[in-house]
Amino acid sequence: MSVTADSSAEMRRLLLAGPDFSLAGVDPRSTPGFEGGKKEGAASLSAGADTLSSLQAKLFAESRAGSEIAVLLVLQGMDASGKGGIVRHVVGLVDLQGVQHHAFAAPTEEERRHSFLWRIRHQLPGPGMLGVFDRSHYEDVLVHRVRGLSPATEIEKRYGAISRFEEDVVASGTRVLKVMLHISKDEQKDRLSKRLDRRDKYWKYNPGDIDDRGYWQQYQEAYQAAIERTSTPDTPWYVVPADRKWYARLAVQQLLTATLEDMQLSWPRASFDVEVEKQRLAAS
């Protein structure tokens, strides 16, 4: 089966974290809005690549005509939830000259001397760019809440600071698409095991991932709180079941495509006389 406009809209609706959202009620192995299996999902992902690529090219082209609009895709999820796969298999199919990717690790000493949003502001996408955050400012409420790195009062303040920050980003002309990749504990264990079984995957393994598994439920609660506190009409959260990699990639592709379509992008008009330039070229 292929993803139609109607099925894409339904998928988007089903993945939206609405007012009564419950992370515990989301089955990580489910495929909301898509009835096919892995083979059909891969075919749909391939079929949707040209549309996404064309929209991203229009976004980039409009910036060359003076537009300041941009898109920011925020990817959050537990370790091994598939963030890197989204970057490779979804974002990687568009024109990379129009992509601004940043993977956030633990803050450096310099970054710690500033507000937690300081380093985030420095990585916001410029005009015409598709920005991708692999982890983001949400680490500063998720990890800090679970590990007790900041007092509860400070974390509460950060929820508000994040919402205000994102409102400013949207006001500047950047659409923000926030996606949580929701993986199960068993699936994560399987993926981490495969990293330990393959020499070419050792570089992706972090011993700290095992430590975080001991806080699994606390992380689920932290995600629930973050989604509840920072999901707004302009910057909603979408929660994508991620146990099936093929579905997560297809879902993010459809969400990103829909976000770009909402922007009603178009190719900029020529700033010169096309016919005159054709004549000049022919005579050159």
Side-chain angles (χ1 to χ4, degrees), residues 146-280:
V146 172
R147 295 294 191 134
L149 301 180
S150 294
T153 52
E154 173 61 21
I155 293 172
E156 284 298 318
K157 291 179 182 178
R158 289 185 177 187
Y159 292 135
I162 286 173
S163 292
R164 290 189 295 274
F165 167 70
E166 291 177 349
E167 286 176 4
D168 290 342
V169 172
V170 171
S172 73
T174 298
R175 294 291 182 102
V176 179
L177 172 59
K178 302 187 295 190
V179 175
M180 181 210 172
L181 299 172
H182 184 40
I183 189 175
S184 68
K185 190 175 184 181
D186 287 344
E187 178 64 19
Q188 187 205 47
K189 186 175 185 178
D190 183 61
R191 293 183 188 180
L192 293 177
S193 176
K194 289 177 180 177
R195 291 180 180 180
L196 290 172
D197 288 339
R198 292 178 51 177
R199 184 177 180 181
D200 63 332
K201 297 291 185 182
Y202 290 170
W203 66 275
K204 298 179 70 174
Y205 184 81
N206 179 358
D209 295 345
I210 305 300
D211 299 328
D212 279 342
R213 283 177 61 78
Y215 296 91
W216 190 270
Q217 184 55 39
Q218 291 94 323
Y219 270 109
Q220 303 308 297
E221 293 169 359
Y223 268 107
Q224 175 73 39
I227 291 169
E228 286 179 354
R229 296 295 304 275
T230 64
S231 195
T232 70
D234 287 335
T235 60
W237 272 100
Y238 293 90
V239 176
V240 173
D243 274 14
R244 302 178 193 270
K245 293 180 181 179
W246 62 265
Y247 173 77
R249 294 166 185 171
L250 176 62
V252 174
Q253 181 196 67
Q254 293 302 307
L255 290 171
L256 188 53
T257 297
T259 298
L260 287 162
E261 287 176 336
D262 287 347
M263 299 171 76
Q264 299 183 324
L265 303 165
S266 61
W267 296 112
R269 292 186 178 185
S271 58
F272 47 83
D273 189 314
V274 176
E275 293 305 318
V276 169
E277 293 306 306
K278 285 181 178 179
Q279 294 172 16
R280 294 182 64 230

Side-chain angles (χ1 to χ4, degrees), residues 111-130:
E111 290 169 342
R112 290 192 187 98
R113 290 196 290 267
H114 299 272
S115 160
F116 77 100
L117 290 171
W118 180 81
R119 64 175 183 160
I120 308 298
R121 289 191 175 93
H122 283 270
Q123 298 300 333
L124 288 171
M129 301 299 287
L130 167 56

